[in-house]
Amino acid sequence: MAALPFSTTCRHSNSSLHHNSKSSFTGFSQTNNIGHLFLIRKCSSRRAVRKLCVKNVASDKKQEQNDPLTEQGTLDKFIPDSASIAASIKYHAEFTPAFSPEKFELSKAFYATAESVRDSLIINWNATYEYYERMNVKQAYYMSMEYLQGRALLNAIGNLELSGPYSEALRKLGHNLENVANQEPDAALGNGGLGRLASCFLDSLATLNYPAWGYGLRYRYGLFKQLITKDGQEEVAESWLEMGNPWEILRNDVSYPVKFYGETTSRPDGSKEWIGGENILAFAYDVPIPGYKTKTTINLRLWSTKVTPEEFDLRAYNAGDHDKAYAALKNAEKICYVLYPGDESIEGKTLRLKQQYTLCSASLQDIIARFEKRSGKAIDWDSFPDKVVVQMNDTHPTLCIPELIRILMDDLLPRHVEIIRKIDEEFIHEIISEYGMNDLDLLDQKLRNMRILENIELPNSVVELINSSIEIPDTDTVEEIDVVDTDIKATEEKEEEAEAKEAEEEEEDDEDEVGKEEQEEDDGEEEPSVEEDTKSKPTWTFKVDSKQPAMVRMANLCVVGGFSVNGVAEIHSEIVKEEVFNDFYELWPDKFQNKTNGVTPRRWIRFCNPDLSKIITKWIGTEDWVTDLQKLAILGKFADNEDLQFEWMESKRRNKIKVASFIKERTGYDVSANAMFDVQVKRIHEYKRQLLNILGIVYRYKKMKEMSDDERKTSFVPRVCIFGGKAFATYVQAKRIVKFITDVGATINHDPDIGDLLKVVFVPDYNVSVAEMLIPGSELSQHISTAGMEASGTSNMKFAMNGCLLIGTLDGANVEIREEVGEDNFFLFGAHAHEISKLRKERSEGKFVADARFEEVKAYVRSGVFGSYNYQELMGSLEGNEGYGRADYFLVGKDFPSYLDCQDAVDKVYRDQKRWTRMSILNTAGSYKFSSDRTIHEYATHIWRIQPLLLP
């Protein structure tokens, strides 16, 4: 990755946060997307004129890092026994009551137990940050709109190595630990892989003892709770906070002002002032994140929003105008109501932007306040980049870039558009410096591709610079030549025609308003124009389309403002460099890196699959694999051992029995643990191709129905096909897919001819806790996105770790998983990423010929066998050659035959259970690369440049 700093000379007012200083700012990386924000400062005690300049520091020497994965330390710790834990639980049940005192039921037991665990966490939490403050080390701040944490109780006591004592303590109090833990609702702070990745990263940061802090928003109602009815998916608000959250601590002394709207004016001294607008307060809730077998407990700070009591209009309330009375209150509170509010409307888009800005502004104010506090009275702004690095998860926190500049330059005066314009202007000069002005066509192309501001005129300084470089053409040399009369006559006629045409064009131009741009060519391409009159030299203009909106390209701002850009899987990083940001990669090749994602092995093997964990520890000979996942590779040499295979199969069977019971509880369907458990659980989206999966199941069902009972049993392996995931509330096509899956399941599951040979189940309200149940019992997992469209994926890593075989395309982390587990242990199908654009072009040209089986399955769906719902829109999306919502953009039809053939291969291998089990063991053994510990170590070493700090 590389760095692009913005040096900002600034003067602060008498704010408690700032002092006179000169700053250099570096910023972000984008891709699925990961960003990094960094600040380099140069202190100046004198007043200085504000200016913003850009320089590339990609070649800066990286500081040397110690390897935290090999450093060891000793921990002095008191391990409480079951008796002291039981006493603590009883204390909280009585003196920290959230329930009536008469009974000690499961819900009350959970809250009392969680508060008991929190006591231990707070001791380590306080010790961690007291030590960080004293050592004043560089710290990483991770900023994300999502954190998909799941339940915290079992993870916390597992990391504290107190599972046994807590289990025994609750048994003495009349409860079972597992039943108590099941009372905890999942924290509704995320939705998909972005949030799960963020939570895995926090776990690894704490486990590896890196000084770090997370920032997010505290969503009261989450994304939504998913209900599955006869009409498909329905959404209701999450209720995870209704009974309180025992893990969070409200910090009444930590709040920051955040402002929207209004306008900026200039003071006489040239500084800026923000007047008018809407004012809110962001206030902090802190959640402890414990590391595994370490005292280190880092912090996740979540912002909620409100207004001061003065904003409540008491006069309007008493006058009966209640809506007006609490309008300001509701406008502030709704910012943190829902994760990803629908953005089909302007109001929805505005609310999302408010969420993103609130996260950025409050977090950066807090980071700077913490830096100043740790610095003491003599604040050395030169040390700021040596103490602070901000990681932006995806492009949501992009406003961190202008916001940090605003804070440092204007002392909390927001003027983000002006700052972004200035960054854009300086970056344009960087482009000009790199590519020159000899080839204006090339320059025009680069500006259109790379500018931060889209469809906005170039700054005057740029236009003047370019026009000043255009030379007046030299007068042609006059030579005497011999001509005949006919040549003279012909030439005169051509000149007269040209003069007449020119006069006609000038008359048309006079009718247009001054400065109107020339019409573009028929091909619609915007080309730079060079105009010339008789009194001046040629001039160059940059055309904008007045019919199109002016926009800020947040991704481009991230790349320009950041010192590091990384993809999250090898294939993704290549796509970022070669396609998405190719122009930037050519300009700053050292700015781009790869950091393949990972997941925490604590939650995703050790705690969610204790049965398998014991087997792994037994055969490896140590439990060190929990923090050193490379040791999983040792399993590979035992893959053919019959004793291990038997233990492995029995463990999987026990987990499948649990899954079958869970499915019965959640859906009412009975499924056989003797069938193959085939799972696809992830966000419902067309590119993830749940539609390909269910169409394959429909084809399987159709073929079964055409056979006798004996033929069916001979031809097909019994399967339970399990789906889970949420379709975004306004994503109509995704919700149609959910409806289709449930309709297919309702038909197949009640077909007496099929019985246990095929079941289709949609598990409602998929979340982390559901994943922790399903993944250990899964045997085949589907990761079948259109090649080139999945950034990485992390669920594929979790399934592989738990000995589940994968069927998938060469997309995202699938590519690397297949390399690590072995090509023979991965079921591969489908088009490759480099073929996709060509295949879509062929489709648009009418050259695609669908496989007969694909046409057959669509006709079968349309026959009404799955009910009366009209699936024309869904099936129609797979047909035609062009048009929105048509032409099979995600190539379901193209990959369908390859997918069916691959599923036949799956059946064949599953019949040989010895071979299947061997492949399962090798998947676990080969998954060692995909630990988030490895990923975090790479970030810390190559990007953040922070050192681990082990508590004494």
Side-chain angles (χ1 to χ4, degrees):
M1 297 191 179
L4 182 65
F6 298 95
S7 298
T8 308
T9 304
C10 58
R11 179 172 52 77
H12 303 295
S13 65
N14 295 325
S15 165
S16 61
L17 290 180
H18 309 294
H19 293 261
N20 295 345
S21 59
K22 180 178 178 183
S23 307
S24 292
F25 170 76
T26 63
F28 172 83
S29 104
Q30 190 272 357
T31 76
N32 181 318
N33 286 346
I34 305 295
H36 318 287
L37 185 63
F38 192 54
L39 192 78
I40 300 174
R41 291 223 15 15
K42 294 184 179 177
C43 188
S44 173
S45 60
R46 60 182 177 85
R47 292 175 178 259
V49 179
R50 290 179 178 82
K51 66 179 181 179
L52 199 62
C53 64
V54 180
K55 66 177 180 178
N56 193 320
V57 295
S59 61
D60 284 356
K61 183 179 180 180
K62 298 180 179 178
Q63 71 180 61
E64 295 294 322
Q65 298 288 306
N66 294 329
D67 188 346
L69 301 182
T70 60
E71 291 184 355
Q72 301 295 326
T74 59
L75 296 175
D76 296 325
K77 52 187 176 181
F78 165 73
I79 301 179
D81 59 17
S82 60
S84 63
I85 288 174
S88 174
I89 294 172
K90 289 165 62 178
Y91 171 85
H92 282 290
E94 183 173 358
F95 295 104
T96 318
F99 299 86
S100 299
E102 294 84 7
K103 299 179 181 179
F104 188 63
E105 296 179 335
L106 279 173
S107 54
K108 184 175 183 178
F110 161 68
Y111 280 89
T113 302
E115 286 156 350
S116 168
V117 175
R118 192 183 71 178
D119 289 348
S120 297
L121 296 182
I122 288 175
I123 294 171
N124 290 344
W125 199 12
N126 291 341
T128 299
Y129 281 96
E130 180 185 350
Y131 192 56
Y132 288 175
E133 293 281 325
R134 180 152 43 93
M135 300 303 293
N136 196 17
V137 294
K138 184 177 183 180
Q139 186 164 324
Y141 296 92
Y142 195 88
M143 214 172 290
S144 178
M145 290 294 289
E146 291 188 47
Y147 290 93
L148 196 57
Q149 293 175 285
R151 293 168 174 162
L153 179 59
L154 292 181
N155 190 77
I157 64 175
N159 280 0
L160 291 169
E161 300 180 85
L162 294 176
S163 299
Y166 266 93
S167 180
E168 176 63 18
L170 284 168
R171 188 190 64 78
K172 292 177 180 179
L173 296 173
H175 288 296
N176 173 276
L177 174 58
E178 184 176 346
N179 293 337
V180 170
N182 286 338
Q183 298 299 305
E184 181 178 7
D186 277 38
L189 298 172
N191 176 41
L194 190 77
R196 188 56 243 162
L197 178 73
S199 294
C200 285
F201 278 6
L202 293 187
D203 177 90
S204 289
L205 282 164
T207 298
L208 298 179
N209 302 297
Y210 281 115
W213 197 309
Y215 283 106
L217 295 181
R218 181 179 180 267
Y219 303 106
R220 181 172 179 179
Y221 301 116
L223 182 72
F224 58 80
K225 182 176 182 179
Q226 182 191 54
L227 305 179
I228 299 298
T229 70
K230 62 181 178 61
D231 297 318
Q233 172 182 295
E234 294 185 6
E235 306 90 20
V236 297
E238 286 273 12
S239 58
W240 74 291
L241 287 175
E242 290 306 295
M243 297 177 70
N245 179 7
W247 305 109
E248 67 182 15
I249 295 178
L250 170 61
R251 303 297 190 188
N252 287 306
D253 58 335
V254 180
S255 64
Y256 296 96
V258 179
K259 190 164 185 170
F260 309 106
Y261 307 114
E263 60 183 2
T264 58
T265 61
S266 297
R267 296 190 181 105
D269 63 357
S271 63
K272 296 286 185 175
E273 181 180 8
W274 190 10
I275 59 175
E278 175 185 316
N279 301 285
I280 69 166
L281 281 177
F283 58 102
Y285 286 85
D286 286 351
V287 179
I289 308 294
Y292 180 73
K293 291 188 177 182
T294 175
K295 285 183 180 179
T296 300
T297 302
I298 65 174
N299 190 44
L300 171 59
R301 176 157 287 179
L302 302 172
W303 301 108
S304 194
T305 47
K306 64 179 181 180
V307 293
T308 61
E310 290 79 7
E311 296 287 339
F312 181 77
D313 192 337
L314 189 60
R315 184 187 299 274
Y317 186 85
N318 288 329
D321 192 350
H322 298 156
D323 288 342
K324 179 182 178 183
Y326 51 71
L329 175 67
K330 292 302 180 184
N331 279 335
E333 288 183 346
K334 72 180 181 182
I335 291 172
C336 292
Y337 274 172
V338 175
L339 168 65
Y340 300 143
D343 61 353
E344 299 295 315
S345 64
I346 293 297
E347 291 79 9
K349 289 181 174 65
T350 301
L351 185 55
R352 282 205 186 188
L353 187 60
K354 282 186 172 183
Q355 288 182 331
Q356 293 170 12
Y357 177 60
T358 298
L359 171 64
C360 294
S361 182
S363 302
L364 287 172
Q365 290 181 67
D366 193 49
I367 290 168
I368 290 175
R370 284 173 47 77
F371 169 75
E372 291 182 328
K373 178 177 180 292
R374 291 165 71 174
S375 298
K377 294 182 179 179
I379 299 177
D380 178 13
W381 286 99
D382 277 329
S383 68
F384 193 77
D386 301 323
K387 301 298 181 182
V388 171
V389 61
V390 177
Q391 170 85 24
M392 293 182 286
N393 190 16
D394 211 303
T395 57
H396 304 125
T398 302
L399 285 173
C400 280
I401 295 169
E403 175 67 3
L404 184 54
I405 296 175
R406 177 190 71 80
I407 292 173
L408 294 172
M409 292 181 67
D410 296 347
D411 188 19
L412 304 178
L413 297 178
R415 55 184 186 97
H416 300 85
V417 173
E418 295 176 15
I419 292 172
I420 291 172
R421 282 185 179 275
K422 190 63 177 176
I423 296 172
D424 182 63
E425 180 177 353
E426 295 296 336
F427 178 53
I428 290 171
H429 283 284
E430 175 94 358
I431 295 174
I432 293 172
S433 175
E434 177 70 19
Y435 296 102
M437 294 175 285
N438 292 331
D439 187 341
L440 293 183
D441 289 338
L442 174 63
L443 181 59
D444 182 86
Q445 177 189 347
K446 293 295 181 183
L447 291 176
R448 294 189 186 282
N449 291 344
M450 302 175 72
R451 277 193 70 189
I452 295 167
L453 299 176
E454 180 178 7
N455 204 40
I456 294 178
E457 294 84 357
L458 290 174
N460 290 334
S461 65
V462 174
V463 176
E464 292 171 1
L465 174 64
I466 294 174
N467 284 328
S468 67
S469 70
I470 300 176
E471 298 180 357
I472 301 175
D474 294 333
T475 304
D476 292 340
T477 303
V478 178
E479 298 181 0
E480 291 186 4
I481 57 173
D482 293 329
V483 295
V484 295
D485 291 344
T486 55
D487 292 334
I488 295 174
K489 183 177 181 180
T491 301
E492 289 174 345
E493 290 174 353
K494 290 180 180 179
E495 289 177 348
E496 290 171 358
E497 292 175 1
E499 290 173 357
K501 184 177 181 180
E502 183 177 353
E504 182 180 347
E505 290 175 349
E506 289 177 352
E507 289 178 4
E508 293 176 355
D509 289 342
D510 289 342
E511 295 174 0
D512 293 340
E513 59 181 343
V514 176
K516 183 175 181 181
E517 299 161 352
E518 295 180 342
Q519 295 294 318
E520 297 174 6
E521 297 294 332
D522 292 341
D523 61 6
E525 301 241 350
E526 294 183 344
E527 299 290 344
S529 61
V530 177
E531 301 168 351
E532 183 177 357
D533 58 33
T534 58
K535 297 181 180 179
S536 64
K537 65 179 181 180
T539 59
W540 182 84
T541 60
F542 183 83
K543 293 183 179 179
V544 297
D545 188 347
S546 60
K547 298 179 180 179
Q548 298 298 321
M551 301 178 70
V552 177
R553 293 164 165 166
M554 302 299 258
N556 287 13
L557 176 58
C558 288
V559 176
V560 173
F563 73 90
S564 184
V565 181
N566 70 271
V568 291
E570 288 178 358
I571 186 175
H572 179 235
S573 296
E574 290 305 308
I575 291 172
V576 166
K577 292 189 295 185
E578 301 301 325
E579 298 178 22
V580 181
F581 293 126
N582 181 251
D583 289 305
F584 292 94
Y585 175 65
E586 290 179 353
L587 181 62
W588 300 311
D590 293 334
K591 179 174 281 199
F592 293 82
Q593 295 186 35
N594 174 63
K595 293 288 173 283
T596 298
N597 281 343
V599 299
T600 168
R602 271 75 64 186
R603 182 180 288 271
W604 293 110
I605 309 182
R606 177 64 181 82
F607 301 145
C608 79
N609 200 346
D611 206 3
L612 182 64
S613 296
K614 292 176 183 177
I615 294 172
I616 293 172
T617 298
K618 171 186 173 181
W619 285 86
I620 289 179
T622 177
E623 200 182 35
D624 290 350
W625 61 269
V626 179
T627 52
D628 183 5
L629 208 61
Q630 291 188 11
K631 286 184 166 59
L632 283 185
I634 298 172
L635 281 173
K637 66 182 182 181
F638 302 115
D640 293 309
N641 186 288
E642 292 185 357
D643 292 336
L644 174 58
Q645 289 185 356
F646 176 78
E647 294 177 22
W648 202 269
M649 287 189 291
E650 285 301 301
S651 172
K652 182 66 71 174
R653 177 171 176 78
R654 288 189 291 269
N655 285 326
K656 288 174 66 179
I657 292 172
K658 292 180 182 178
V659 171
S661 176
F662 176 79
I663 289 173
K664 174 66 175 177
E665 176 189 339
R666 290 296 183 95
T667 70
Y669 288 129
D670 289 304
V671 300
S672 171
N674 294 322
M676 179 202 301
F677 280 18
D678 173 356
V679 181
Q680 187 180 20
V681 283
K682 52 185 75 236
R683 178 166 51 97
I684 308 298
H685 197 289
E686 288 171 277
Y687 90 83
K688 293 180 182 289
R689 299 203 295 190
Q690 286 91 350
L691 184 55
L692 174 61
N693 185 351
I694 192 63
L695 287 176
I697 293 169
V698 169
Y699 184 81
R700 189 182 187 90
Y701 175 64
K702 183 177 185 297
K703 295 295 111 177
M704 286 180 176
K705 293 292 288 182
E706 294 170 355
M707 297 177 180
S708 68
D709 187 55
D710 290 339
E711 288 173 330
R712 282 194 288 267
K713 292 177 180 177
T714 303
S715 302
F716 295 100
V717 166
R719 287 203 197 194
V720 177
C721 301
I722 303 169
F723 292 84
K726 295 180 179 180
F728 191 65
T730 58
Y731 190 175
V732 176
Q733 193 74 324
K735 295 178 76 170
R736 288 189 183 118
I737 293 171
V738 174
K739 168 66 172 168
F740 183 38
I741 293 169
T742 57
D743 282 353
V744 170
T747 299
I748 293 176
N749 298 345
H750 293 97
D751 190 330
D753 293 339
I754 303 302
D756 286 338
L757 199 56
L758 182 62
K759 297 290 185 182
V760 179
V761 176
F762 193 102
V763 179
D765 204 36
Y766 179 70
N767 57 21
V768 173
S769 297
V770 174
E772 290 171 334
M773 173 61 69
L774 294 180
I775 290 174
S778 301
E779 294 174 286
L780 180 73
S781 180
Q782 306 214 23
H783 304 273
I784 56 178
S785 53
T786 311
M789 299 201 70
E790 185 75 83
S792 169
T794 53
S795 65
N796 44 8
M797 303 170 186
K798 300 165 194 169
F799 281 101
M801 283 182 181
N802 283 271
C804 181
L805 274 59
L806 308 187
I807 179 172
T809 54
L810 284 179
D811 195 26
N814 284 359
V815 178
E816 293 160 77
I817 292 174
R818 182 169 177 260
E819 291 173 355
E820 297 299 329
V821 305
E823 295 181 3
D824 294 337
N825 303 309
F826 185 103
F827 296 103
L828 178 67
F829 76 95
H832 294 195
H834 69 272
E835 301 173 320
I836 300 302
S837 59
K838 179 183 177 182
L839 291 170
R840 286 177 177 150
K841 184 174 184 294
E842 290 177 354
R843 180 71 181 239
S844 68
E845 295 171 349
K847 297 178 181 179
F848 172 71
V849 178
D851 185 270
R853 291 171 290 180
F854 188 58
E855 296 301 309
E856 181 182 352
V857 77
K858 288 189 296 177
Y860 192 58
V861 172
R862 286 186 166 118
S863 71
V865 68
F866 300 113
S868 60
Y869 186 84
N870 184 357
Y871 284 107
Q872 179 56 39
E873 289 292 333
L874 191 59
M875 294 299 104
S877 70
L878 306 175
E879 299 172 335
N881 297 325
E882 59 184 359
Y884 180 77
R886 302 276 293 173
D888 193 12
Y889 183 80
F890 301 99
L891 303 182
V892 173
K894 172 63 182 177
D895 282 349
F896 189 71
S898 174
Y899 178 70
L900 293 183
D901 294 343
C902 194
Q903 288 285 14
D904 288 342
V906 170
D907 274 10
K908 181 179 179 180
V909 175
Y910 193 78
R911 289 189 176 96
D912 183 350
Q913 278 294 292
K914 180 178 177 65
R915 180 183 173 189
W916 185 276
T917 303
R918 180 181 185 276
M919 294 169 68
S920 173
I921 294 169
L922 290 174
N923 266 260
T924 298
S927 67
Y928 65 86
K929 173 182 176 179
F930 304 101
S931 168
S932 53
D933 294 350
R934 185 264 313 153
T935 312
I936 284 298
H937 175 52
E938 291 178 359
Y939 274 108
T941 304
H942 304 141
I943 298 174
W944 304 335
R945 303 177 190 176
I946 61 174
Q947 300 279 3
L949 187 63
L950 190 65
L951 271 67

